[in-house]
Amino acid sequence: MSEVTRSLLQRWGASFRRGADFDSWGQLVEAIDEYQILARHLQKEAQAQHNNSEFTEEQKKTIGKIATCLELRSAALQSTQSQEEFKLEDLKKLEPILKNILTYNKEFPFDVQPVPLRRILAPGEEENLEFEEDEEEGGAGAGSPDSFPARVPAKIFFNQVSPGTLLPRLPSEPGMTLLTIRIEKIGLKDAGQCIDPYITVSVKDLNGIDLTPVQDTPVASRKEDTYVHFNVDIELQKHVEKLTKGAAIFFEFKHYKPKKRFTSTKCFAFMEMDEIKPGPIVIELYKKPTDFKRKKLQLLTKKPLYLHLHQTLHKE
């Protein structure tokens, strides 16, 4: 087991125990939030492409089923029915399965299917889906509660404050520079309609190959007027001097579409190496799909809307 996988399983286990503790103490709002946060992370791993995951396909199916059970328990806690559909004692049976996911080979104890409520689409997959709307010109509707799946309460789709997948700053090295990028806000015409927005940050070479681990911000802290506010720090996971020539840092703005039941990339921005300098910077937004090779770029809008960042350089 790699150190990354061990750390991931520890985080999942801690989140599971927090949710179950809140649940047993009667702190239902906190339990629901914790269950939904963990379910979202498990769903994302269950859908990961094979070369981006350390889990086998069977293990990912089990992970997806655990996510489904977390959603069912969350739905039961929000139900006005007196009879719970999925009990806490049932959920607790899943903790050892999650902890030992790499060696678990028994039949799953519940008859559920790993059907993600939130699909995380692979690059290029979204263009193959039925065209829903021109988000920039037509306006993206957030969807009314009536458009949500009937078996899942509308609350599941709101107020999910995901912890994200941010990584700590690397150890300093003499003569080397580390970069902290503070994502302050992004300007969008329909900012207030975006559901559970977050930003995926990656560093790519000229061929679109990852040079560092990909990081997701937590869900945005607030939305107002034409801005979605994040105010979160991203620690670049490679010393600036070690980045290859022509590399770029990408920022993909993602949000949830309840009608289609998947998480969609709305737009993206990128910053090239010659733009790395201390202080504030605003960068332009481009239409999806994300073009990591930077060959066919189309601005999202003619309006003056940008991604607002602030850079801090740390040199030993």
Side-chain angles (χ1 to χ4, degrees):
M1 186 193 309
S2 73
E3 192 59 40
V4 173
T5 302
R6 183 180 290 106
S7 175
L8 182 64
L9 292 178
Q10 288 173 347
R11 291 200 302 272
W12 287 353
S15 177
F16 190 102
R17 287 190 295 276
R18 280 196 302 272
D21 285 345
F22 285 135
D23 199 345
S24 62
W25 297 334
Q27 294 178 248
L28 302 189
V29 173
E30 292 83 355
I32 290 165
D33 285 345
E34 197 68 48
Y35 288 152
Q36 291 173 356
I37 288 167
L38 179 56
R40 179 172 176 171
H41 283 279
L42 296 181
Q43 287 164 354
K44 186 173 181 179
E45 188 61 48
Q47 297 168 68
Q49 299 299 306
H50 184 68
N51 57 353
N52 291 330
S53 176
E54 295 195 38
F55 300 101
T56 67
E57 290 306 308
E58 279 303 310
Q59 289 165 354
K60 287 195 286 187
K61 285 181 183 177
T62 303
I63 290 170
K65 289 181 179 180
I66 294 173
T68 300
C69 290
L70 288 164
E71 292 283 9
L72 289 174
R73 178 59 187 162
S74 178
L77 292 178
Q78 297 176 76
S79 174
T80 56
Q81 306 286 333
S82 58
Q83 182 180 6
E84 294 179 353
E85 297 175 3
F86 199 85
K87 298 181 182 298
L88 176 58
E89 51 263 39
D90 293 330
L91 191 71
K92 286 183 176 180
K93 296 175 184 176
L94 303 179
E95 185 175 2
I97 299 176
L98 186 60
K99 181 180 178 180
N100 302 296
I101 192 68
L102 296 178
T103 56
Y104 182 78
N105 57 8
K106 299 178 183 177
E107 187 175 350
F108 198 75
F110 304 106
D111 184 18
V112 296
Q113 294 301 315
V115 183
L117 293 174
R118 295 172 182 249
R119 294 179 61 205
I120 308 292
L121 300 183
E125 185 181 354
E126 186 175 346
E127 295 85 80
N128 298 325
L129 298 175
E130 182 181 352
F131 187 76
E132 181 177 349
E133 65 220 301
D134 186 328
E135 290 188 347
E136 178 57 30
E137 297 305 323
S144 66
D146 291 339
S147 66
F148 293 167
R151 74 175 186 87
V152 183
K155 185 182 174 186
I156 283 182
F157 297 95
F158 294 95
N159 301 323
Q160 281 195 347
V161 184
S162 166
T165 58
L166 300 184
L167 297 168
R169 188 179 306 167
L170 294 177
S172 59
E173 290 184 18
M176 292 291 176
T177 306
L178 290 169
L179 172 63
T180 301
I181 302 174
R182 185 166 189 79
I183 300 178
E184 296 180 340
K185 60 184 179 180
I186 185 171
L188 295 167
K189 185 181 72 172
D190 54 355
Q193 297 178 339
C194 295
I195 296 175
D196 284 356
Y198 66 98
I199 290 178
T200 296
V201 182
S202 57
V203 184
K204 309 281 188 180
D205 67 10
L206 281 169
N207 295 314
I209 304 300
D210 282 313
L211 299 176
T212 68
V214 176
Q215 303 182 64
D216 289 337
T217 71
V219 167
S221 57
R222 63 190 172 94
K223 297 172 284 188
E224 62 178 15
D225 300 327
T226 55
Y227 287 104
V228 178
H229 294 262
F230 287 92
N231 294 313
V232 64
D233 288 339
I234 306 292
E235 302 292 348
L236 199 71
Q237 297 297 298
K238 192 180 279 284
H239 293 87
V240 173
E241 291 82 0
K242 297 180 181 179
L243 292 172
T244 58
K245 185 178 180 181
I249 305 169
F250 282 83
F251 306 85
E252 297 175 272
F253 180 86
K254 299 179 178 180
H255 65 131
Y256 179 66
K257 288 184 172 181
K259 290 181 181 178
K260 294 292 185 179
R261 297 209 289 184
F262 62 74
T263 294
S264 166
T265 299
K266 182 176 179 64
C267 61
F268 72 99
F270 64 89
M271 193 176 76
E272 297 182 311
M273 294 301 98
D274 60 359
E275 295 177 288
I276 295 179
K277 56 192 70 172
I281 181 174
V282 294
I283 54 178
E284 293 178 313
L285 305 177
Y286 295 95
K287 290 182 179 179
K288 64 181 181 183
T290 308
D291 181 10
F292 292 120
K293 295 183 181 180
R294 292 162 271 163
K295 291 185 177 179
K296 297 180 180 178
L297 300 171
Q298 282 187 288
L299 286 174
L300 178 68
T301 175
K302 296 177 182 178
K303 300 179 178 66
L305 300 173
Y306 306 97
L307 178 63
H308 295 248
L309 309 171
H310 189 282
Q311 302 181 77
T312 303
L313 298 175
H314 313 271
K315 190 156 187 174
E316 184 73 8

